[in-house]
Amino acid sequence: DGGITQSPKYLFRKEGQNVTLSCEQNLNHDAMYWYRQDPGQGLRLIYYSQIVNDFQKGDIAEGYSVSREKKESFPLTVTSAQKNPTAFYLCASIPAGGNYGYTFGSGTRLTVV
Amino acid sequence: AQSVTQPDIHITVSEGASLELRCNYSYGATPYLFWYVQSPGQGLQLLLKYFSGDTLVQGIKGFEAEFKRSQSSFNLRKPSVHWSDAAEYFCAVATSGTYKYIFGTGTRLKVLA
């Protein structure tokens, strides 16, 4: 079945470390997104990419970086510059040319210890 | 700027009772509107979407929503709630031609047996 795979499901990071969250999709979708979810704040857009080798900052990009070297993959790196990284991170994708609604992965919960 | 408001943070209903979750949006033109559901620790699943045409849209799991332009609302309804409907519900808006969605802060539904 087609879908979006996020890994790992749980991730623990020490302060000062960079960590990378994986997002892979086999839906042949062109656009991919990273959202951060905190209790009571809904989902906030971190970065998005509409084509390979191109991406744009969302509303809360500071302290994060991404790459889009392959259509199927859109990894997110949480750097040590992100002051409050503990959150639930969601990856989503959508095909080009149609606003049919995002398909979401099952998320990664990042905890700073 | 676009925005989405879900005025109810928590709602509790008895199993078998009807349900209405409120969503108001701010956008100058006709937006694309979505409702998603999220179980704890999981990603979001699309319930239904509105693009144009009939203002009453049917979705999965027996949900429906009505677009009311005069009230800038897109409320979600279900005639008879089941215990399995307990989850968090998010309303989202996207402008025509873009793939960036703005999410509300969510409404957590509790169902009493």
Side-chain angles (χ1 to χ4, degrees), chain A residues 29-50:
Chain A
H29 285 177
D30 295 274
M32 298 185 73
Y33 305 79
W34 276 105
Y35 282 87
R36 170 179 171 142
Q37 185 177 19
D38 297 280
Q41 296 194 48
L43 281 70
R44 294 181 290 167
L45 182 63
I46 305 172
Y47 268 98
Y48 64 103
S49 167
Q50 294 184 303

Side-chain angles (χ1 to χ4, degrees), chain A residues 35-99:
Chain A
Y35 282 87
R36 170 179 171 142
Q37 185 177 19
D38 297 280
Q41 296 194 48
L43 281 70
R44 294 181 290 167
L45 182 63
I46 305 172
Y47 268 98
Y48 64 103
S49 167
Q50 294 184 303
I51 56 172
V52 174
N53 292 323
D54 188 47
F55 48 82
Q56 287 77 43
K57 293 181 179 180
D59 301 318
I60 56 165
E62 185 176 353
Y64 300 97
S65 66
V66 294
S67 63
R68 186 87 186 276
E69 298 176 359
K70 298 186 301 182
K71 187 175 183 178
E72 302 79 18
S73 179
F74 191 41
L76 173 73
T77 297
V78 184
T79 75
S80 57
Q82 171 48 238
K83 298 306 179 187
N84 186 22
T86 295
F88 191 54
Y89 291 87
L90 287 159
C91 181
S93 70
I94 194 168
N99 221 334

Side-chain angles (χ1 to χ4, degrees), chain A residues 9 31 33 35 37 40-43 45 48 50 88 90 94-102 104-106, chain B residues 32 34 36 38 41-44 46 49 51 88 90 94-106:
Chain A
K9 189 167 181 64
Y33 305 79
Y35 282 87
Q37 185 177 19
Q41 296 194 48
L43 281 70
L45 182 63
Y48 64 103
Q50 294 184 303
F88 191 54
L90 287 159
I94 194 168
N99 221 334
Y100 305 117
Y102 287 162
F104 280 90
S106 58
Chain B
Y32 292 84
F34 306 86
Y36 285 85
Q38 184 183 34
Q42 298 298 315
L44 278 68
L46 180 65
K49 55 186 180 285
F51 293 162
E88 191 157 20
F90 291 92
T95 55
S96 173
T98 77
Y99 302 127
K100 290 167 56 178
Y101 293 8
I102 306 297
F103 287 85
T105 52

